[in-house]
């Protein structure tokens, strides 16, 4: 039975709550729930129940209810991919992305190992210039002075900001971000056309003999524009299980990539900002990925590089990682039915917080304001720029792949789910519980409801301890790679 505690002398609310948790009947279960989340920053709190029944014998095989938990709720990981929101869950996403990309380079995860012999390129496509910015130009491996006359440090805050903000094309930069996904889609179409032309074939004949597969990730530059890193691979007509024909070489693919990137143009007709033509920038990097680790770019290095950026978001450029649209009025600035009143939360602006209060550089604030302004124009309504103003106009997925490149994130999650089921089955056998008959039918009924997100103050202290232990384990693992295992 829970004891009555007098905690008036404990000043810290977190410590007071931790003492209350420690005096619950099953504090070990409280710690277990927090620990198994691995340090998740904002777990989802659920209440409800689930019951699995054997219809043949009408017996309950498994049953669970949050009412039996010491705190009356179940904590589950948030699953956020962004490192700025949850470092723990983002590492899981990064690991999944790594295995997805690595499988498409080396095989495994139901992908044929012969893919390492297929032509493979690591391609970087960059945005064009919308005005000169502060940078660190290099020549001969040494940094040179910027156009402003100074030699900036690597972490200088002015890097990526315009030399002359008054002449910088902010509207063009935001609209380019908004069309970056469409540019990539058009690039993949032109890539197949250029490859067919280089090989002297029709596109129909090429599609019957060769399949182009890819995996890409978006990364923000300091100036607030996205660029893409991609693995592009040539397969046979059946995908990774078939070998490409002899004429489908890395040289042919390199030529097609360079030509397609040069030719891709999107035309934007606008009365507000004038007609624009968007394409890729001049800095296009195309490098062959070598097999058997006999070159600069190896399978593991490329997969690690892409996985690292899969968990990043626009905050890498200095912007915020949250939507700026006022939630109560959905950005309209008004609430109500027939008789509409100004939203009391945003005072009619539609913004969740004033732009002037954002802790960002002036350059990023101007891009956000430009995206919001353009989003209010009818001709740009389809771009949803107000919704994605915090992303500086970019609204595409950060990591994507073609269908036949390798496995899927869903398949990797299914493997983890199967492993957990196997662990539960092993626990059932250890406990001596009978197994359902082979001809029985199991039916699961459940009811769940969202309660909240986050920890109790005392649980947050336990989560901090878990994060500390995870970081110590990661550091020890990294040391073991270079120094060897520590002797017992």
């Amino acid at each position: 039975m829970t004891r009555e505690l007098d905690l008036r002398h404990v000043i810290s609310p977190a410590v007071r709550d931790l003492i209350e948790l420690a005096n619950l009947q099953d504090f070990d279960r409280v710690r277990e729930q927090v620990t198994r989340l691995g340090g998740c920053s904002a777990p989802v709190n659920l209440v409800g129940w689930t019951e699995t029944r054997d219809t043949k014998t009408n017996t309950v095989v498994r049953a669970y209810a949050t009412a039996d938990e010491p705190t009356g709720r179940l904590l589950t990981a948030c699953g956020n991919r962004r490192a700025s929101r949850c470092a723990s869950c983002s590492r899981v996403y990064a690991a999944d992305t790594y295995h997805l990309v690595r499988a498409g380079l080396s095989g495994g995860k139901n992908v044929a190992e012969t893919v390492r012999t297929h032509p493979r390129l690591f391609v970087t496509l960059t945005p064009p210039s919308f005005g000169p910015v502060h940078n660190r130009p290099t020549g001969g491996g040494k940094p040179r002075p910027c156009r402003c006359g100074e030699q900036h440090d690597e972490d200088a805050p002015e890097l990526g900001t315009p030399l002359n903000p008054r002449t910088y094309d902010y509207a063009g930069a935001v609209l380019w971000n908004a069309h970056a996904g469409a540019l990539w889609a058009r690039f993949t179409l032109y890539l197949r056309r250029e490859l067919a032309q280089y090989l002297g074939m029709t596109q129909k004949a090429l599609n019957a003999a060769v399949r182009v597969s890819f995996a890409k990730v978006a990364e923000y530059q300091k100036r607030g524009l996205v660029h893409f890193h991609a693995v592009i691979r040539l397969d046979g007509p059946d995908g990774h299980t078939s070998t490409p024909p002899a004429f489908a070489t890395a040289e042919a693919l390199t030529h097609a990539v360079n030509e397609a990137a040069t030719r891709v143009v999107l035309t934007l007709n606008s009365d507000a900002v004038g007609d624009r033509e968007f394409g890729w920038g001049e800095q296009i990097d195309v490098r062959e990925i070598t097999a058997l680790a006999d070159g600069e770019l190896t399978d593991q290095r490329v997969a690690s590089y892409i996985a690292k950026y899969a968990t990043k978001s626009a905050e890498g450029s200095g912007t915020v990682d949250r939507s700026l649209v006022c939630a109560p009025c959905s950005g309209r600035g008004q609430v109500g039915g027939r008789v509409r009143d100004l939203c009391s939360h945003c005072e009619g602006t539609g913004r969740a917080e004033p732009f002037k209060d954002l802790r960002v550089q002036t350059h990023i604030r101007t891009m956000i304001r430009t995206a919001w302004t353009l989003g209010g124009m009818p001709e740009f309504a389809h771009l949803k720029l107000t919704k994605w103003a915090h992303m500086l106009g970019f609204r595409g997925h950060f990591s994507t792949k073609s269908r036949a490149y390798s496995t899927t994130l869903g398949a990797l999650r299914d493997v983890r789910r199967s492993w957990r089921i196997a662990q539960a089955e092993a626990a059932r056998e250890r406990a001596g519980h009978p197994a359902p008959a082979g001809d029985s039918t199991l039916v699961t009924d459940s009811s769940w409801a969202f309660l909240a997100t986050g920890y109790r103050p005392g649980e947050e202290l336990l989560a901090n301890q878990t994060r500390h232990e995870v970081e110590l384990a990661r550091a020890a693992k990294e040391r073991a790679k270079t120094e060897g295992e520590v002797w017992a």
Side-chain angles (χ1 to χ4, degrees):
M1 190 173 189
T2 304
R3 294 181 299 170
E4 293 292 333
L5 299 173
D6 183 7
L7 301 177
R8 290 174 294 179
H9 62 287
V10 181
I11 299 176
S12 171
V15 175
R16 187 184 305 123
D17 187 59
L18 181 60
I19 295 174
E20 292 179 354
L21 290 173
N23 279 269
L24 294 176
Q25 292 183 355
D26 194 357
F27 177 62
D28 289 340
R29 173 56 183 167
V30 176
R31 293 187 59 184
E32 179 187 354
Q33 278 214 58
V34 175
T35 302
R36 69 180 177 80
L37 295 178
C40 176
S41 300
V44 179
N45 295 213
L46 299 176
V47 292
W49 56 270
T50 181
E51 182 181 272
T52 301
R53 183 178 294 273
D54 188 338
T55 58
K56 184 177 181 179
T57 61
N58 197 30
T59 57
V60 176
V61 178
R62 288 185 297 271
Y64 170 83
T66 55
D68 299 328
E69 293 285 356
T71 58
R73 74 206 202 286
L74 176 67
L75 301 180
T76 61
C78 67
N80 200 309
R81 69 160 188 85
R82 290 180 292 179
S84 62
R85 287 299 182 94
C86 184
S88 173
C89 293
S90 72
R91 281 195 290 266
V92 176
Y93 184 87
D96 284 350
T97 303
Y98 170 82
H99 288 294
L100 185 149
V101 176
R102 181 71 183 272
L105 292 170
S106 307
K109 310 293 182 184
N110 297 323
V111 179
E113 294 185 1
T114 53
V115 293
R116 64 167 59 240
T117 64
H118 295 194
R120 304 165 302 166
L121 299 180
F122 184 57
V123 179
T124 300
L125 300 175
T126 61
S129 173
F130 295 96
V133 297
H134 293 276
N135 59 3
R136 299 181 75 246
T138 57
K142 297 182 179 180
R144 303 196 313 269
C146 175
R147 291 186 184 183
C148 66
E150 298 184 9
Q151 186 167 314
H152 302 297
D153 296 330
E154 291 185 3
D155 56 350
E158 61 269 20
L159 287 178
T161 61
L163 292 174
N164 188 352
R166 293 185 178 182
T167 61
Y168 191 82
D169 187 7
Y170 280 101
V174 169
L175 290 172
W176 192 93
N177 274 347
H179 289 87
L183 271 175
W184 171 261
R186 186 162 296 189
F187 165 77
T188 59
L189 294 176
Y190 278 42
L191 176 61
R192 295 174 175 87
R193 295 176 185 175
E194 292 297 332
L195 186 60
Q197 183 177 354
Y198 180 81
L199 297 174
M201 308 169 63
T202 63
Q203 291 189 57
K204 184 176 181 180
L206 177 69
N207 293 335
V210 179
R211 188 163 190 166
V212 180
S213 301
F214 67 85
K216 75 163 178 67
V217 67
E219 177 193 359
Y220 272 85
Q221 297 176 327
K222 289 286 188 180
R223 55 180 173 150
L225 292 165
V226 294
H227 64 285
F228 295 129
H229 302 290
V231 173
I232 303 179
R233 190 187 69 215
L234 291 182
D235 300 326
D238 298 327
H240 57 77
T241 58
S242 56
T243 303
F247 58 77
T249 62
E251 178 184 356
L253 183 57
T254 300
H255 173 84
V257 167
N258 284 308
E259 290 297 319
T262 303
R263 285 191 55 194
V264 170
V265 174
L266 279 178
T267 302
L268 175 67
N269 299 316
S270 170
D271 295 331
V273 299
D275 296 342
R276 303 291 184 101
E277 287 189 348
F278 294 130
W280 301 109
E282 297 180 356
Q283 296 181 352
I284 300 173
D285 185 31
V286 183
R287 289 183 284 174
E288 183 178 0
I289 303 173
T290 57
L292 304 177
D294 56 357
E296 179 184 358
L297 278 182
T298 62
D299 301 347
Q300 181 177 358
R301 184 175 180 182
V302 170
S304 300
Y305 189 79
I306 290 182
K308 178 178 71 172
Y309 289 107
T311 62
K312 302 295 182 182
S313 191
E315 67 270 9
S317 64
T319 186
V320 296
D321 64 349
R322 59 190 179 278
S323 175
L324 298 175
V325 175
C326 177
C329 67
S330 301
R332 293 186 295 267
Q334 296 178 333
V335 294
R338 293 183 178 180
V339 180
R340 293 185 173 272
D341 298 323
L342 288 181
C343 177
S344 59
H345 292 81
C346 64
E347 298 180 350
T349 64
R351 300 191 292 266
E353 50 190 308
F355 292 153
K356 62 181 179 63
D357 293 342
L358 298 177
R359 302 183 65 178
V360 297
Q361 290 184 334
T362 302
H363 171 60
I364 298 300
R365 183 180 291 107
T366 305
M367 288 195 71
I368 293 175
R369 183 178 288 110
T370 302
W372 192 277
T373 302
L374 293 175
M377 299 179 182
E379 61 181 302
F380 298 129
H382 65 287
L383 298 177
K384 301 180 180 179
L385 291 175
T386 53
K387 179 180 179 180
W388 299 104
H390 67 293
M391 302 291 286
L392 311 182
F394 179 67
R395 55 196 175 98
H397 292 286
F398 271 80
S399 60
T400 58
K401 72 173 189 68
S402 58
R403 181 173 299 177
Y405 175 77
S406 67
T407 185
T408 63
L409 293 176
L412 295 175
R413 297 186 186 107
D414 288 341
V415 171
R416 280 200 299 274
R417 188 179 299 111
S418 299
W419 181 85
R420 287 195 294 266
I421 293 175
Q423 293 294 106
E425 183 66 16
R428 181 195 60 77
E429 293 178 356
R430 289 193 301 269
H433 297 315
D439 58 346
S440 62
T441 301
L442 302 181
V443 176
T444 299
D445 293 327
S446 59
S447 175
W448 296 99
F450 171 80
L451 179 64
T453 58
Y455 294 103
R456 287 176 50 163
E459 292 172 334
E460 185 66 49
L461 295 179
L462 298 176
N464 287 334
Q465 176 65 25
T466 300
R467 296 184 192 109
H468 178 66
E469 293 172 353
V470 169
E471 289 302 321
L472 289 178
R474 285 169 55 84
K477 188 176 181 180
E478 290 299 321
R479 285 197 305 271
K481 292 180 181 179
T482 56
E483 304 174 7
E485 296 288 345
V486 179
W487 289 7

